[in-house]
Amino acid sequence: MKELSLHILDLVENSIQAGATQIDIKIDETHLHTHIKITVTDNGKGIDPAMLAVISDPFVTSRTTRRVGLGIALFKAASERCEGIFSIQSRQGNGTTVTATFAIDHLDRAPLGDLGATMTTLIAGYPDIGIRYHHILFQDSFTMNTAELKSGLDTVELNDPAILSRIKEMINDFCKQ
Amino acid sequence: MAKISVEDLKRIKEKTSQESSLRGGETTVKVTVHMGTCGIAAGARSVMNTLLEEKAESNRTDIKIVAAGCLGMCSSEPNITVEIVGQEPIVYKKMDPNKTRQVFRRHILKGEVQTDFALGKG
């Protein structure tokens, strides 16, 4: 993956496959003043302990379309090669939390990338999923809660092209500062 | 703290709602972008964003663009499936933004299947 924002898209994809309806994405660019911390939490069906123990092995997957599952393995490797720590916590029936840190100035750290594109892809691609996005950047922070926006707009979908492009613009403006 | 607010989006919605109300709410075209790890690594997100841009430009509210998991055809990712009501679904392989634009403008808007990029029917 060329960007950390693509890993985030992939993690959310896992959550949706696990039946999640609500996903929290948190990005903290000031973790310990040296690291970026990415956390994805879902309310999916969770992972059983036996699976959890081997989840970052690429030859383990719950999917039946193919026999290798690279997403978690790639995310873990990306974190560990930039002096980061990866962890995954899950309880069956209670959802899953995946956390990884990345040393900000490590040579091998991929850029955060186009988070606006990741968010609009999720909102447009999975209109029924609730997404909370929280991004901390030094003194500043940014939040988006799709459930709040949907109820405020009095519509079930945020899929209007003009709205999607506005969301993308706002997120990327924040990330650029 | 910055926040995407309802008020901000409401203004945009008001501007566009008049145009979109001219068409019915029914979906006649469904485009699925396959987003497994393989698809994402191969560029599915830029394909998705190209589709969203093209849809915005076409002003067609009857076109629905959705995401789905891995299709199982990792070597030909990014894959998209185009389903037009009353026609056989077509799966396209190895998409990029340019090919996606061509499929959108020729197949989705004009009904001409782009066989060069097609993986198959179904």
Side-chain angles (χ1 to χ4, degrees):
Chain A
M1 301 277 179
K2 287 180 192 155
E3 301 176 2
L4 298 180
S5 62
L6 290 173
H7 282 290
I8 293 172
L9 183 56
D10 187 43
L11 291 171
V12 175
E13 174 68 35
N14 285 346
S15 297
I16 291 166
Q17 298 305 323
T21 54
Q22 177 63 48
I23 292 149
D24 283 27
I25 299 164
K26 191 173 168 192
I27 301 166
D28 181 357
E29 295 196 48
T30 57
H31 181 67
L32 304 173
H33 304 291
T34 51
H35 285 65
I36 291 180
K37 184 178 182 184
I38 295 174
T39 312
V40 175
T41 305
D42 70 47
N43 65 348
K45 65 183 178 204
I47 305 165
D48 70 68
M51 184 72 166
L52 198 59
V54 291
I55 191 103
S56 54
D57 178 343
F59 296 101
V60 168
T61 177
S62 62
R63 196 184 332 87
T64 51
T65 46
R66 57 187 152 86
R67 285 175 302 160
V68 287
L70 284 171
I72 294 283
L74 286 174
F75 191 54
K76 182 171 187 255
S79 161
E80 288 174 349
R81 79 170 162 260
C82 354
E83 293 162 27
I85 295 167
F86 168 89
S87 80
I88 180 163
Q89 275 141 16
S90 186
R91 268 174 56 206
Q92 273 185 287
N94 269 334
T96 303
T97 298
V98 178
T99 307
T101 61
F102 301 80
I104 284 185
D105 51 9
H106 196 283
L107 208 58
D108 289 332
R109 183 181 68 81
L112 267 172
D114 196 340
L115 281 161
T118 284
M119 294 305 153
T120 46
T121 295
L122 291 173
I123 294 168
Y126 301 104
D128 302 328
I129 305 289
I131 295 164
R132 274 194 295 257
Y133 164 65
H134 187 55
H135 192 152
I136 301 162
L137 183 60
F138 303 100
Q139 305 299 320
D140 212 354
S141 74
F142 186 92
T143 56
M144 175 185 74
N145 181 350
T146 58
E148 204 178 275
L149 296 176
K150 274 182 202 170
S151 63
L153 282 174
D154 205 20
T155 168
V156 281
E157 290 191 8
L158 282 175
N159 256 333
D160 189 296
I163 285 183
L164 286 176
S165 86
R166 176 71 183 145
I167 290 175
K168 188 172 172 181
E169 182 186 275
M170 284 181 80
I171 292 173
N172 285 342
D173 279 353
F174 174 80
C175 295
K176 251 183 259 158
Q177 63 174 314
Chain B
M1 187 181 80
K3 189 175 180 181
I4 293 184
S5 72
V6 173
E7 287 66 37
D8 192 46
L9 298 184
K10 254 185 188 159
R11 280 195 295 276
I12 294 159
K13 187 96 187 151
E14 275 160 17
K15 251 189 262 172
T16 55
S17 60
Q18 278 181 317
E19 295 164 36
S20 44
S21 65
L22 296 173
R23 285 177 188 273
E26 226 158 282
T27 301
T28 59
V29 183
K30 183 175 151 199
V31 188
T32 307
V33 183
H34 300 280
M35 294 245 188
T37 305
C38 46
I40 293 168
R45 191 184 65 185
S46 61
V47 168
M48 169 66 104
N49 277 265
T50 303
L51 286 167
L52 295 174
E53 281 165 25
E54 288 293 315
K55 183 190 154 171
E57 218 168 285
S58 73
N59 234 344
R60 290 261 304 263
T61 53
D62 59 323
I63 298 172
K64 195 173 173 186
I65 296 159
V66 297
C70 178
L71 187 68
M73 307 291 292
C74 310
S75 60
S76 70
E77 291 283 359
N79 293 306
I80 64 171
T81 305
V82 176
E83 293 169 80
I84 301 177
V85 167
Q87 292 174 26
E88 269 181 301
I90 304 288
V91 180
Y92 287 104
K93 62 180 178 179
K94 296 194 174 173
M95 297 307 281
D96 61 28
N98 279 335
K99 289 177 182 174
T100 304
R101 257 177 231 118
Q102 184 174 329
V103 165
F104 194 94
R105 291 176 192 179
R106 300 260 176 86
H107 184 183
I108 295 171
L109 297 182
K110 292 185 182 163
E112 303 159 8
V113 176
Q114 301 300 297
T115 45
D116 286 358
F117 314 148
L119 178 71
K121 292 177 182 174

Coordinates of all heavy atoms in Angstrom, one line a residue, chain A residues 69-145:
Chain A
G69 N -5.0 -13.9 3.2 CA -5.5 -12.6 3.6 C -4.4 -11.7 4.0 O -3.7 -11.9 5.0
L70 N -4.2 -10.7 3.2 CA -3.0 -9.9 3.4 C -3.2 -8.6 4.1 O -2.2 -8.0 4.6 CB -2.4 -9.5 2.0 CG -1.6 -10.6 1.3 CD1 -1.3 -10.2 -0.1 CD2 -0.4 -11.0 2.0
G71 N -4.4 -8.1 4.2 CA -4.7 -6.8 4.8 C -4.0 -6.5 6.1 O -3.2 -5.6 6.3
I72 N -4.4 -7.4 7.1 CA -3.8 -7.2 8.5 C -2.3 -7.4 8.5 O -1.6 -6.6 9.1 CB -4.5 -8.1 9.4 CG1 -6.0 -7.8 9.6 CG2 -3.9 -8.1 10.8 CD1 -6.3 -6.6 10.4
A73 N -1.9 -8.4 7.8 CA -0.4 -8.6 7.7 C 0.4 -7.5 7.2 O 1.4 -7.1 7.7 CB -0.2 -9.9 6.9
L74 N -0.2 -6.8 6.1 CA 0.5 -5.7 5.5 C 0.5 -4.5 6.5 O 1.5 -3.8 6.5 CB -0.2 -5.3 4.2 CG 0.0 -6.2 3.0 CD1 -0.9 -5.7 1.8 CD2 1.4 -6.1 2.5
F75 N -0.6 -4.3 7.2 CA -0.7 -3.1 8.1 C 0.3 -3.3 9.2 O 1.0 -2.4 9.6 CB -2.2 -3.0 8.6 CG -2.5 -1.7 9.3 CD1 -2.2 -0.5 8.7 CD2 -3.0 -1.8 10.6 CE1 -2.5 0.7 9.4 CE2 -3.4 -0.6 11.2 CZ -3.1 0.6 10.7
K76 N 0.3 -4.5 9.7 CA 1.3 -4.8 10.8 C 2.7 -4.6 10.4 O 3.5 -3.9 11.1 CB 1.0 -6.2 11.3 CG 1.9 -6.7 12.5 CD 1.5 -8.0 13.0 CE 2.2 -8.4 14.3 NZ 3.2 -9.4 14.1
A77 N 3.0 -5.1 9.2 CA 4.4 -5.0 8.7 C 4.8 -3.5 8.5 O 5.9 -3.1 8.8 CB 4.6 -5.8 7.4
A78 N 3.8 -2.7 8.0 CA 4.0 -1.3 7.7 C 4.3 -0.6 9.0 O 5.2 0.3 9.0 CB 2.8 -0.7 7.0
S79 N 3.6 -0.9 10.0 CA 3.8 -0.3 11.3 C 5.2 -0.7 11.9 O 6.0 0.2 12.3 CB 2.7 -0.7 12.3 OG 3.0 -0.4 13.6
E80 N 5.5 -2.0 11.9 CA 6.7 -2.5 12.6 C 8.0 -2.0 11.9 O 9.0 -1.9 12.5 CB 6.6 -4.0 12.8 CG 5.5 -4.3 13.9 CD 5.3 -5.8 14.1 OE1 5.7 -6.6 13.2 OE2 4.6 -6.1 15.0
R81 N 7.9 -1.8 10.6 CA 9.1 -1.4 9.9 C 9.4 0.1 10.1 O 10.4 0.6 9.8 CB 9.2 -1.8 8.5 CG 8.4 -1.0 7.5 CD 8.6 -1.3 6.1 NE 7.5 -0.8 5.3 CZ 6.5 -1.5 4.8 NH1 6.5 -2.8 5.0 NH2 5.5 -0.9 4.2
C82 N 8.4 0.8 10.7 CA 8.7 2.2 11.1 C 8.6 2.4 12.6 O 8.0 3.3 13.1 CB 7.9 3.3 10.4 SG 6.8 2.8 9.2
E83 N 9.2 1.5 13.3 CA 9.3 1.6 14.8 C 8.0 1.8 15.4 O 7.9 2.6 16.4 CB 10.3 2.7 15.2 CG 11.7 2.4 14.8 CD 12.6 3.7 14.8 OE1 12.2 4.6 15.5 OE2 13.5 3.7 14.0
G84 N 7.0 1.1 14.9 CA 5.7 1.3 15.5 C 5.2 0.0 16.2 O 5.9 -1.0 16.2
I85 N 4.1 0.1 16.8 CA 3.5 -1.0 17.5 C 2.1 -1.3 17.0 O 1.3 -0.4 16.8 CB 3.4 -0.7 19.1 CG1 4.8 -0.5 19.6 CG2 2.7 -1.8 19.8 CD1 4.8 0.1 21.0
F86 N 1.9 -2.6 16.7 CA 0.6 -3.0 16.2 C -0.1 -3.8 17.2 O 0.5 -4.6 17.9 CB 0.8 -3.8 14.9 CG -0.4 -4.6 14.4 CD1 -1.3 -3.9 13.5 CD2 -0.7 -5.8 14.9 CE1 -2.4 -4.6 13.1 CE2 -1.9 -6.5 14.5 CZ -2.7 -5.9 13.6
S87 N -1.4 -3.6 17.3 CA -2.2 -4.4 18.2 C -3.6 -4.6 17.7 O -4.1 -3.8 17.0 CB -2.2 -3.9 19.6 OG -3.2 -2.9 19.7
I88 N -4.2 -5.7 18.0 CA -5.6 -6.0 17.6 C -6.3 -6.6 18.8 O -5.8 -7.5 19.5 CB -5.6 -6.9 16.4 CG1 -7.1 -7.1 15.9 CG2 -4.9 -8.2 16.5 CD1 -7.2 -7.6 14.5
Q89 N -7.4 -6.0 19.2 CA -8.2 -6.5 20.3 C -9.6 -6.8 19.8 O -10.2 -6.1 19.1 CB -8.3 -5.5 21.4 CG -7.1 -5.5 22.3 CD -6.7 -4.1 22.7 OE1 -7.4 -3.2 22.5 NE2 -5.5 -4.0 23.2
S90 N -10.1 -8.0 20.3 CA -11.4 -8.3 19.8 C -12.1 -9.2 20.8 O -11.5 -10.1 21.4 CB -11.3 -9.0 18.4 OG -12.6 -9.3 17.9
R91 N -13.4 -9.1 20.9 CA -14.2 -10.0 21.7 C -15.4 -10.4 20.8 O -16.0 -9.6 20.2 CB -14.6 -9.4 23.0 CG -13.6 -9.7 24.1 CD -14.0 -9.0 25.4 NE -15.3 -9.3 25.9 CZ -16.0 -8.4 26.6 NH1 -15.5 -7.2 27.0 NH2 -17.2 -8.7 27.1
Q92 N -15.7 -11.7 20.8 CA -16.8 -12.2 20.0 C -18.1 -11.5 20.4 O -18.4 -11.5 21.6 CB -16.9 -13.7 20.1 CG -16.0 -14.4 19.1 CD -16.1 -15.8 19.1 OE1 -15.7 -16.5 20.0 NE2 -16.8 -16.4 18.1
G93 N -18.7 -11.0 19.4 CA -20.0 -10.3 19.7 C -19.9 -8.8 20.0 O -20.8 -8.1 20.1
N94 N -18.6 -8.4 20.3 CA -18.4 -7.0 20.8 C -17.6 -6.1 19.8 O -17.3 -5.0 20.2 CB -17.7 -7.1 22.1 CG -18.7 -7.1 23.3 OD1 -19.8 -6.6 23.1 ND2 -18.3 -7.7 24.4
G95 N -17.2 -6.7 18.7 CA -16.4 -5.8 17.8 C -14.9 -6.0 18.0 O -14.4 -6.7 18.8
T96 N -14.2 -5.2 17.1 CA -12.8 -5.3 17.1 C -12.1 -3.9 17.0 O -12.7 -3.0 16.4 CB -12.4 -6.1 15.8 OG1 -13.1 -7.4 15.8 CG2 -10.9 -6.3 15.6
T97 N -11.0 -3.8 17.6 CA -10.2 -2.6 17.5 C -8.8 -2.9 17.0 O -8.1 -3.8 17.6 CB -10.1 -1.9 18.9 OG1 -11.4 -1.6 19.4 CG2 -9.2 -0.6 18.8
V98 N -8.4 -2.3 16.0 CA -7.1 -2.4 15.4 C -6.3 -1.1 15.6 O -6.8 0.0 15.3 CB -7.1 -2.8 13.9 CG1 -5.7 -2.9 13.3 CG2 -7.9 -4.1 13.7
T99 N -5.1 -1.2 16.2 CA -4.3 0.0 16.4 C -2.9 -0.2 15.9 O -2.4 -1.3 16.0 CB -4.2 0.3 18.0 OG1 -5.5 0.3 18.5 CG2 -3.6 1.6 18.3
A100 N -2.4 0.8 15.3 CA -1.0 0.8 14.9 C -0.4 2.2 15.0 O -1.0 3.2 14.7 CB -0.9 0.3 13.5
T101 N 0.9 2.2 15.4 CA 1.6 3.5 15.4 C 2.7 3.4 14.4 O 3.2 2.4 14.0 CB 2.2 3.8 16.8 OG1 3.1 2.7 17.2 CG2 1.1 3.8 17.9
F102 N 3.2 4.6 14.0 CA 4.2 4.7 13.0 C 5.1 5.9 13.4 O 4.6 7.0 13.6 CB 3.6 5.1 11.6 CG 2.6 4.1 11.1 CD1 1.3 4.0 11.6 CD2 2.9 3.1 10.2 CE1 0.3 3.1 11.2 CE2 2.0 2.2 9.7 CZ 0.7 2.2 10.2
A103 N 6.4 5.7 13.5 CA 7.3 6.8 13.8 C 7.2 7.8 12.6 O 7.4 7.5 11.4 CB 8.7 6.4 13.9
I104 N 6.8 9.1 12.9 CA 6.5 10.1 11.9 C 7.6 10.3 10.9 O 7.4 10.3 9.7 CB 6.1 11.4 12.6 CG1 4.7 11.3 13.1 CG2 6.2 12.6 11.6 CD1 4.1 12.6 13.7
D105 N 8.9 10.4 11.5 CA 9.9 10.8 10.5 C 10.7 9.6 10.1 O 11.9 9.7 9.6 CB 10.8 11.9 11.2 CG 11.3 11.4 12.6 OD1 11.0 10.3 12.9 OD2 11.9 12.3 13.3
H106 N 10.2 8.4 10.2 CA 10.9 7.2 9.7 C 10.9 7.2 8.2 O 9.9 7.5 7.5 CB 10.2 5.9 10.2 CG 11.1 4.7 10.1 ND1 11.3 4.1 8.9 CD2 11.9 4.1 11.0 CE1 12.1 3.1 9.1 NE2 12.5 3.0 10.4
L107 N 12.1 6.8 7.7 CA 12.2 6.8 6.2 C 11.2 6.0 5.5 O 10.8 6.3 4.4 CB 13.7 6.3 5.9 CG 14.4 6.8 4.7 CD1 14.4 8.3 4.7 CD2 15.8 6.2 4.6
D108 N 10.8 4.9 6.1 CA 9.9 3.9 5.4 C 8.4 4.2 5.6 O 7.6 3.5 5.2 CB 10.2 2.5 5.9 CG 11.5 2.0 5.4 OD1 11.9 2.4 4.3 OD2 12.1 1.1 6.1
R109 N 8.2 5.3 6.4 CA 6.7 5.5 6.6 C 6.0 6.1 5.4 O 6.4 7.0 4.8 CB 6.6 6.5 7.8 CG 5.1 6.8 8.1 CD 4.9 7.8 9.2 NE 5.2 9.1 8.9 CZ 4.4 9.9 8.2 NH1 3.3 9.5 7.7 NH2 4.8 11.2 7.9
A110 N 4.9 5.4 5.0 CA 4.1 5.9 3.9 C 3.4 7.1 4.3 O 3.1 7.3 5.5 CB 3.1 4.8 3.5
P111 N 3.1 8.0 3.4 CA 2.4 9.2 3.7 C 0.9 8.9 4.1 O 0.4 7.8 3.8 CB 2.4 10.1 2.5 CG 2.6 9.1 1.4 CD 3.5 8.0 2.0
L112 N 0.3 9.7 4.9 CA -1.1 9.5 5.2 C -2.0 9.4 3.9 O -2.9 8.6 3.8 CB -1.7 10.6 6.1 CG -1.6 10.3 7.6 CD1 -2.0 11.6 8.3 CD2 -2.5 9.2 8.0
G113 N -1.6 10.2 3.0 CA -2.3 10.2 1.6 C -3.7 10.8 1.6 O -4.0 11.7 2.4
D114 N -4.4 10.4 0.6 CA -5.7 11.1 0.3 C -6.8 10.6 1.2 O -7.6 9.7 0.8 CB -6.0 10.8 -1.2 CG -7.1 11.8 -1.7 OD1 -7.8 12.4 -0.9 OD2 -7.2 11.9 -3.0
L115 N -6.9 11.1 2.4 CA -7.9 10.7 3.3 C -9.3 11.1 2.9 O -10.3 10.4 3.1 CB -7.7 11.3 4.7 CG -6.6 10.6 5.5 CD1 -6.0 11.4 6.6 CD2 -7.1 9.3 6.1
G116 N -9.4 12.2 2.2 CA -10.7 12.7 1.6 C -11.2 11.6 0.7 O -12.4 11.3 0.7
A117 N -10.4 11.0 -0.2 CA -10.8 10.0 -1.1 C -11.2 8.7 -0.4 O -12.2 8.1 -0.8 CB -9.7 9.7 -2.1
T118 N -10.5 8.4 0.7 CA -10.9 7.2 1.5 C -12.2 7.4 2.1 O -13.1 6.5 2.0 CB -9.8 6.9 2.6 OG1 -8.7 6.3 1.9 CG2 -10.3 6.0 3.6
M119 N -12.5 8.6 2.7 CA -13.8 8.8 3.3 C -14.9 8.9 2.3 O -16.0 8.3 2.6 CB -13.7 10.1 4.1 CG -12.8 10.1 5.3 SD -13.1 8.7 6.4 CE -11.5 8.5 7.1
T120 N -14.7 9.5 1.2 CA -15.8 9.6 0.2 C -16.1 8.2 -0.4 O -17.2 7.9 -0.7 CB -15.6 10.6 -0.9 OG1 -14.2 10.5 -1.4 CG2 -15.7 12.0 -0.4
T121 N -15.0 7.4 -0.6 CA -15.2 6.1 -1.1 C -16.1 5.3 -0.1 O -17.0 4.6 -0.5 CB -13.8 5.4 -1.2 OG1 -13.1 6.0 -2.3 CG2 -14.0 3.9 -1.6
L122 N -15.8 5.4 1.2 CA -16.6 4.7 2.2 C -18.0 5.2 2.3 O -19.0 4.4 2.3 CB -15.9 4.8 3.6 CG -14.6 4.1 3.7 CD1 -13.9 4.5 5.1 CD2 -14.8 2.6 3.6
I123 N -18.2 6.5 2.2 CA -19.6 7.1 2.4 C -20.4 6.7 1.1 O -21.5 6.2 1.3 CB -19.5 8.6 2.5 CG1 -18.9 9.0 3.8 CG2 -20.9 9.2 2.4 CD1 -18.5 10.5 3.9
A124 N -19.8 6.8 0.0 CA -20.5 6.5 -1.3 C -20.7 5.0 -1.4 O -21.8 4.5 -1.8 CB -19.8 7.0 -2.5
G125 N -19.6 4.2 -1.1 CA -19.6 2.8 -1.4 C -20.5 2.0 -0.4 O -21.0 1.0 -0.7
Y126 N -20.6 2.5 0.9 CA -21.3 1.8 1.9 C -22.3 2.8 2.6 O -22.1 3.1 3.7 CB -20.4 1.2 2.9 CG -19.4 0.2 2.3 CD1 -18.0 0.6 2.1 CD2 -19.8 -1.1 2.0 CE1 -17.1 -0.3 1.6 CE2 -18.8 -2.0 1.4 CZ -17.5 -1.6 1.2 OH -16.6 -2.5 0.7
P127 N -23.3 3.2 1.9 CA -24.2 4.2 2.4 C -24.9 3.8 3.7 O -25.3 4.7 4.5 CB -25.2 4.4 1.3 CG -25.1 3.2 0.4 CD -23.7 2.7 0.5
D128 N -25.0 2.6 4.0 CA -25.7 2.2 5.3 C -24.8 2.1 6.5 O -25.3 1.8 7.6 CB -26.4 0.8 5.1 CG -27.3 0.8 3.9 OD1 -27.9 1.9 3.6 OD2 -27.5 -0.2 3.2
I129 N -23.5 2.3 6.3 CA -22.6 2.2 7.5 C -22.4 3.5 8.1 O -22.2 4.5 7.4 CB -21.2 1.6 7.0 CG1 -21.4 0.3 6.2 CG2 -20.2 1.5 8.1 CD1 -21.8 -0.9 7.0
G130 N -22.4 3.6 9.4 CA -22.1 4.8 10.1 C -20.6 5.0 10.3 O -19.9 4.0 10.8
I131 N -20.1 6.1 10.0 CA -18.6 6.3 10.2 C -18.4 7.6 11.0 O -18.9 8.7 10.7 CB -18.0 6.5 8.8 CG1 -18.1 5.2 8.0 CG2 -16.5 6.9 8.9 CD1 -17.8 5.3 6.5
R132 N -17.6 7.4 12.0 CA -17.1 8.6 12.8 C -15.6 8.7 12.5 O -14.8 7.7 12.6 CB -17.3 8.4 14.3 CG -18.7 8.8 14.7 CD -18.7 8.9 16.3 NE -18.5 7.6 16.9 CZ -19.5 6.8 17.4 NH1 -20.8 7.3 17.3 NH2 -19.3 5.7 17.9
Y133 N -15.2 9.9 12.1 CA -13.8 10.1 11.8 C -13.3 11.3 12.7 O -13.9 12.3 12.8 CB -13.7 10.5 10.3 CG -12.5 11.2 9.8 CD1 -11.3 10.5 9.8 CD2 -12.5 12.5 9.3 CE1 -10.1 11.1 9.3 CE2 -11.4 13.1 8.8 CZ -10.2 12.4 8.8 OH -9.0 13.0 8.3
H134 N -12.2 11.0 13.3 CA -11.6 12.0 14.2 C -10.1 12.1 14.0 O -9.4 11.1 14.0 CB -11.9 11.6 15.7 CG -11.5 12.6 16.7 ND1 -12.0 13.9 16.6 CD2 -10.7 12.6 17.7 CE1 -11.5 14.7 17.6 NE2 -10.7 13.9 18.3
H135 N -9.7 13.3 13.7 CA -8.3 13.4 13.2 C -7.6 14.5 14.1 O -8.1 15.7 14.1 CB -8.3 13.8 11.8 CG -6.9 13.8 11.1 ND1 -6.7 13.5 9.8 CD2 -5.6 13.9 11.6 CE1 -5.4 13.5 9.5 NE2 -4.8 13.8 10.6
I136 N -6.6 14.2 14.8 CA -5.9 15.2 15.7 C -4.5 15.6 15.1 O -3.8 14.7 14.7 CB -5.7 14.6 17.1 CG1 -7.0 14.2 17.7 CG2 -4.9 15.6 18.0 CD1 -6.9 13.2 18.9
L137 N -4.4 16.9 14.9 CA -3.1 17.4 14.3 C -2.6 18.5 15.2 O -3.2 19.6 15.1 CB -3.4 17.8 12.9 CG -2.3 18.3 12.0 CD1 -1.3 17.3 11.8 CD2 -2.9 18.7 10.7
F138 N -1.7 18.3 16.1 CA -1.2 19.3 17.0 C -2.3 20.0 17.8 O -3.0 19.3 18.4 CB -0.3 20.3 16.3 CG 0.9 19.6 15.6 CD1 0.8 19.3 14.2 CD2 1.9 19.1 16.3 CE1 1.9 18.6 13.6 CE2 3.0 18.4 15.8 CZ 2.9 18.2 14.4
Q139 N -2.5 21.3 17.7 CA -3.5 21.9 18.5 C -4.9 21.8 17.9 O -5.9 22.1 18.5 CB -3.2 23.5 18.5 CG -1.8 23.8 19.0 CD -1.6 23.3 20.5 OE1 -2.5 23.4 21.3 NE2 -0.4 22.8 20.7
D140 N -4.9 21.3 16.6 CA -6.2 21.3 15.9 C -6.8 19.9 15.8 O -6.0 18.9 15.9 CB -5.9 21.8 14.5 CG -7.1 22.6 13.9 OD1 -8.1 22.6 14.6 OD2 -6.9 23.2 12.9
S141 N -8.1 19.8 15.6 CA -8.6 18.5 15.3 C -9.8 18.6 14.4 O -10.3 19.7 14.1 CB -9.0 17.8 16.6 OG -10.2 18.4 17.1
F142 N -10.2 17.5 13.8 CA -11.3 17.5 12.8 C -12.2 16.3 13.1 O -11.7 15.2 13.4 CB -10.6 17.4 11.5 CG -11.6 17.5 10.3 CD1 -11.8 18.7 9.7 CD2 -12.3 16.4 9.8 CE1 -12.7 18.9 8.6 CE2 -13.1 16.5 8.8 CZ -13.3 17.7 8.2
T143 N -13.5 16.5 13.0 CA -14.4 15.4 13.2 C -15.5 15.4 12.1 O -15.9 16.4 11.6 CB -15.1 15.4 14.6 OG1 -15.8 16.6 14.7 CG2 -14.2 15.2 15.7
M144 N -16.0 14.2 11.9 CA -17.1 14.0 11.0 C -17.9 12.7 11.5 O -17.3 11.7 11.9 CB -16.6 13.7 9.6 CG -17.8 13.3 8.6 SD -17.2 12.8 7.0 CE -16.6 11.2 7.3
N145 N -19.2 12.9 11.6 CA -20.0 11.8 12.1 C -21.2 11.6 11.1 O -22.1 12.5 11.0 CB -20.6 12.1 13.5 CG -21.4 11.0 14.0 OD1 -21.8 10.0 13.3 ND2 -21.7 11.1 15.3

